[in-house]
Amino acid sequence: MAAKRLNQKDKYRCLTRDLAWEPSYQTKEDIYPYERFEGIKITDWDKWEDPFRLTMDAYWKYQAEKEKKLYAIFDAFAQNNGHTNLSDARYVNALKLFLSGVTPLEYQAYQGFARVGRHFGGAGARVACQMQAIDELRHVQTQIHAMSHYNKHFNGLHDFAHMHDRVWFLSVPKSFFEDARTAGPFEFLTAISFSFEYVLTNLLFVPFMSGAAYNGDMATVTFGFSAQSDEARHMTLGLEVIKFLLEQHEDNVPIIQRWIDKWFWRGYRLLTLVGMMMDYMLPNKVMSWAEAWEVYYEQAGGALFKDLERYGIRPPKYVEQTTIGKEHISHQAWSIFYQYSQATNFHTWMPTDEELDWLSAKYPDTFDRIYRPRYEHWREMQARGERFYNPTLPMLCQVCQIPLSFTEPDADTTLSHRSVLHAGERFHFCSDGCCDIFQYEPDKYVQAWLPVHQILQGNCGGGDVEAVVRDYYNIAAGFDNFDYQGSPEHQRWQQWQGDRPADFNTAG
Amino acid sequence: MTSLVYIAFQDNDNARYIVDAIVQDNPHAVVQHQPAMIRVQAEQRLEINRATVEEKLGREWDVQEMLIDVITLGGNVEEDEDRFALHWN
């Protein structure tokens, strides 16, 4: 008699719960020591449900199929010299930022999930974290493979892991994940699965990746969407874990609320970089940062927090500041990178007339009043042969590590700056959100590795910034960085365009 | 404020049939085409039914196969052998 085929629910039970066992010679408290020290109360792990009910056999089957599709496209892109069909070589600079900023984060996410998956008493949660750890490792690998093709033809992608540990702006994403990974297991899940993945990664992997397709970069859109298809499961895990924790005990509610407040703000600050990529670094633009924020945060996040209201959860603290900030942050970030382009692994430029007009149309209340005049001034300087590079080192926020360049929510031409005295030392912050995070756990954030402080203390080698960038960051001056106009990369791109047979030359 | 659930797929041959099935079973759904992706959003609830997708594809289809083509989603997930649903409470 043929064995009866299990239905999905029974199969899931067999391949998760039934893989666990009751300990006999150790206590659960000793096996899972980190389950309690954050104050989270778990009364019944069996209430945990993985909504996708994905088992390992199905996981391998679908992931293998995703990989085959992805690598077929990578191969085709490389074989056809797909990089020469991009909208413009300026686009690749967005990719340099993405690949050097995000790839190491995927590795940190892998390490984080492998660790917390070990520390949960519930078998369902352990299996879900295990699959996510494998997913994150896969994302690192696909991004390195995407990078390898671009690295043959463009500058600045030669040493991403080294740069992640050292370069000043890469300390922004690095510190975000290190903050999450040095927290307890439930805070890690709230930080990464819920706040970062559910609420914020859509903004990184959906409109920006759609933009990659619109700029002819089939390799990036494919790894981006392939990664985000895993994120769809991770987001569901994030929402599930939050609901599970809220249902387990009412004492969990204020702890979760504080984590949501903290990690929403940290994630929002981190995404400043993505706002700049969308508004300034995609030559063919899909939607503005403000529009993406409206679709993927205000609408989607609004629905999510309305759903969580029944547990006593309110929208994240300072969320109203993001509604104001969406009009500003991409311009403020581009201004930072434009003036510190000598210390990055990518090129910057001033927007063309057409791009300035697009920004005016997308940001009618702020762009012409505040940012266009600044750009016009810098354009004039550049035309006179005095391209502006800021020779000073910026003051960094102790928490998000972004240079203090944001403006006050209620005064958009006034610098936002908070500071507190702690143990006889003064610490500085970009916002109320970052200041609050510090004040709750000052002993954690006083240890932050701030690139500017480290340079000034002589811990990054070299007697000046040029030497730090060259020797400590491994970035070649004038080759990997400075303005795009006239760079070796710009010249190479023009040569490729000129070398193309007339029939294939669609430019102009 | 409305509570929209959403799901986005890669714009490929498989997903086009899944989207056709969604539109047939969810008349209130709104379909948006963006570069390389198709996004579907709906007030409160959205369902993907295996039977309808199989009818459109002309072959057997496992609900979990959609993991290959999906990019992102928003809403509480309910999944079993015959159906994948997104909803807000």
Side-chain angles (χ1 to χ4, degrees):
Chain A
M1 199 175 108
K4 195 181 152 214
R5 203 177 151 177
L6 293 174
N7 70 27
Q8 198 191 40
K9 204 170 176 178
D10 290 335
K11 192 173 104 178
Y12 175 69
R13 181 180 45 73
C14 289
L15 288 171
T16 54
R17 304 299 197 278
D18 280 9
L19 293 177
W21 61 86
E22 284 299 313
S24 57
Y25 58 91
Q26 291 283 357
T27 64
K28 283 196 173 169
E29 287 71 25
D30 285 341
I31 298 173
Y32 305 111
Y34 298 135
E35 232 181 64
R36 283 166 310 282
F37 82 89
E38 295 168 283
I40 290 290
K41 291 177 181 161
I42 304 292
T43 51
D44 183 4
W45 268 113
D46 282 339
K47 295 269 169 58
W48 166 272
E49 280 283 341
D50 184 336
F52 274 102
R53 295 210 185 91
L54 192 63
T55 51
M56 265 300 166
D57 57 338
Y59 176 79
W60 292 126
K61 182 178 148 193
Y62 294 126
Q63 293 301 95
E65 207 160 321
K66 280 193 211 170
E67 289 286 273
K68 274 188 255 171
K69 286 176 69 171
L70 169 65
Y71 283 97
I73 292 170
F74 275 1
D75 273 358
F77 189 76
Q79 237 169 4
N80 289 311
N81 285 325
H83 60 278
T84 62
N85 291 319
L86 296 172
S87 56
D88 185 67
R90 285 182 305 160
Y91 162 80
V92 181
N93 292 287
L95 210 52
K96 293 175 196 174
L97 184 56
F98 185 96
L99 290 170
S100 49
V102 174
T103 307
L105 297 191
E106 305 277 17
Y107 195 72
Q108 291 221 49
Y110 148 69
Q111 292 174 304
F113 279 98
R115 174 174 168 271
V116 299
R118 158 65 183 83
H119 288 291
F120 290 130
R126 281 207 303 275
V127 170
C129 288
Q130 181 190 5
M131 287 185 200
Q132 176 154 357
I134 300 168
D135 284 341
E136 303 292 1
L137 197 54
R138 166 180 179 259
H139 300 170
V140 188
Q141 290 167 342
T142 60
Q143 286 165 28
I144 292 171
H145 282 130
M147 195 184 317
S148 71
H149 177 72
Y150 279 100
N151 185 38
K152 290 175 192 157
H153 302 286
F154 297 89
N155 304 333
L157 283 166
H158 51 283
D159 208 355
F160 78 95
H162 174 94
M163 290 185 199
H164 171 250
D165 287 340
R166 299 182 177 213
V167 176
W168 61 278
F169 67 92
L170 296 175
S171 79
V172 174
K174 180 174 189 271
S175 72
F176 178 97
F177 262 78
E178 288 180 346
D179 189 352
R181 285 181 54 206
T182 50
F186 293 111
E187 185 179 347
F188 175 83
L189 279 198
T190 311
I192 305 303
S193 299
F194 182 74
S195 294
F196 188 64
E197 296 185 315
Y198 203 98
V199 183
L200 301 164
T201 52
N202 271 324
L203 287 150
L204 179 64
F205 279 106
V206 183
F208 177 75
M209 291 301 168
S210 184
Y214 202 35
N215 285 278
D217 185 0
M218 285 318 295
T220 296
V221 64
T222 308
F223 86 68
F225 282 172
S226 188
Q228 188 64 22
S229 75
D230 297 344
E231 297 293 342
R233 269 187 288 110
H234 304 169
M235 288 156 59
T236 311
L237 169 68
L239 183 52
E240 200 55 35
V241 77
I242 288 289
K243 287 191 297 184
F244 170 75
L245 294 176
L246 294 170
E247 281 165 7
Q248 285 288 304
H249 203 288
E250 62 183 21
D251 289 355
N252 294 344
V253 176
I255 302 174
I256 301 285
Q257 180 72 59
R258 190 174 54 73
W259 288 340
I260 289 174
D261 291 346
K262 169 183 171 180
W263 288 100
F264 168 77
W265 189 259
R266 290 225 61 186
Y268 166 67
R269 275 292 184 245
L270 179 58
L271 287 186
T272 303
L273 295 171
V274 184
M276 165 181 113
M277 285 155 62
M278 287 180 61
D279 281 346
Y280 287 86
M281 303 180 84
L282 293 179
N284 293 337
K285 300 177 206 305
V286 176
M287 57 167 66
S288 69
W289 169 252
E291 289 165 328
W293 185 256
E294 283 158 17
V295 172
Y296 288 98
Y297 182 72
E298 291 175 9
Q299 280 180 21
L304 169 67
F305 284 106
K306 207 158 85 179
D307 192 78
L308 292 176
E309 251 176 36
R310 68 187 193 279
Y311 299 106
I313 291 291
R314 51 159 176 73
K317 199 175 178 187
Y318 301 123
V319 66
E320 67 287 349
Q321 294 194 11
T322 68
T323 309
I324 299 166
K326 75 185 175 196
E327 295 282 326
H328 298 279
I329 61 168
S330 68
H331 319 303
Q332 292 169 350
W334 188 245
S335 298
I336 296 171
F337 281 98
Y338 178 80
Q339 57 185 298
Y340 287 109
S341 200
Q342 71 278 28
T344 68
N345 63 328
F346 61 92
H347 300 294
T348 54
W349 54 87
M350 271 296 108
T352 63
D353 288 336
E354 205 181 358
E355 287 167 337
L356 289 175
D357 291 344
W358 183 86
L359 289 163
S360 297
K362 292 294 180 185
Y363 296 98
D365 298 331
T366 51
F367 190 74
D368 284 354
R369 181 165 55 87
I370 304 173
Y371 304 105
R372 186 188 274 267
R374 176 190 298 170
Y375 291 159
E376 284 174 348
H377 175 67
W378 279 343
R379 271 165 58 141
E380 283 164 23
M381 287 178 70
Q382 197 162 349
R384 289 199 304 269
E386 297 164 12
R387 164 49 161 107
F388 177 61
Y389 293 106
N390 193 327
T392 68
L393 297 183
M395 181 183 221
L396 303 180
C397 173
Q398 187 75 22
V399 172
C400 71
Q401 308 209 1
I402 297 176
L404 257 62
S405 298
F406 299 107
T407 47
E408 290 287 355
D410 56 358
D412 59 18
T413 54
T414 304
L415 182 72
S416 174
H417 177 202
R418 305 285 179 275
S419 78
V420 294
L421 261 178
H422 173 75
E425 198 176 342
R426 185 164 290 282
F427 294 89
H428 303 274
F429 311 95
C430 69
S431 55
D432 293 322
C434 284
C435 188
D436 281 4
I437 292 167
F438 178 90
Q439 286 189 292
Y440 192 81
E441 291 177 288
D443 292 341
K444 182 170 194 177
Y445 297 98
V446 294
Q447 302 172 60
W449 194 94
L450 293 179
V452 170
H453 293 198
Q454 297 299 320
I455 291 170
L456 293 172
Q457 287 170 31
N459 294 330
C460 302
D464 54 25
V465 172
E466 198 182 323
V468 169
V469 170
R470 184 186 61 231
D471 303 328
Y472 187 71
Y473 293 174
N474 192 17
I475 291 172
F479 187 73
D480 298 326
N481 55 12
F482 287 94
D483 203 277
Y484 174 72
Q485 289 295 326
S487 65
E489 197 159 283
H490 182 205
Q491 291 169 22
R492 198 179 313 142
W493 175 256
Q494 286 182 317
Q495 194 189 333
W496 287 343
Q497 299 306 306
D499 286 349
R500 300 175 116 188
D503 284 347
F504 290 93
N505 196 343
T506 52
Chain B
M1 195 174 166
T2 56
S3 277
L4 295 168
V5 294
Y6 64 91
I7 188 162
F9 296 97
Q10 298 198 35
D11 189 352
N12 61 29
D13 263 347
N14 233 15
R16 277 195 277 277
Y17 292 108
I18 301 175
V19 172
D20 284 350
I22 295 175
V23 170
Q24 183 173 314
D25 292 344
N26 303 268
H28 65 304
V30 177
V31 178
Q32 301 162 332
H33 289 268
Q34 286 165 20
M37 62 181 264
I38 311 172
R39 189 173 184 275
V40 186
Q41 66 178 32
E43 184 64 34
Q44 290 296 340
R45 187 173 177 90
L46 198 58
E47 283 191 12
I48 304 174
N49 294 304
R50 181 172 58 83
T52 319
V53 177
E54 288 188 342
E55 184 194 306
K56 300 284 175 197
L57 277 170
R59 65 168 174 86
E60 282 192 5
W61 183 74
D62 189 318
V63 172
Q64 291 193 329
E65 262 188 65
M66 63 160 235
L67 291 172
I68 298 169
D69 304 305
V70 76
I71 297 167
T72 185
L73 50 82
N76 293 296
V77 168
E78 292 165 29
E79 189 203 65
D80 62 30
E81 274 97 341
D82 296 321
R83 195 187 52 145
F84 179 91
L86 289 167
H87 71 92
W88 291 121
N89 290 310

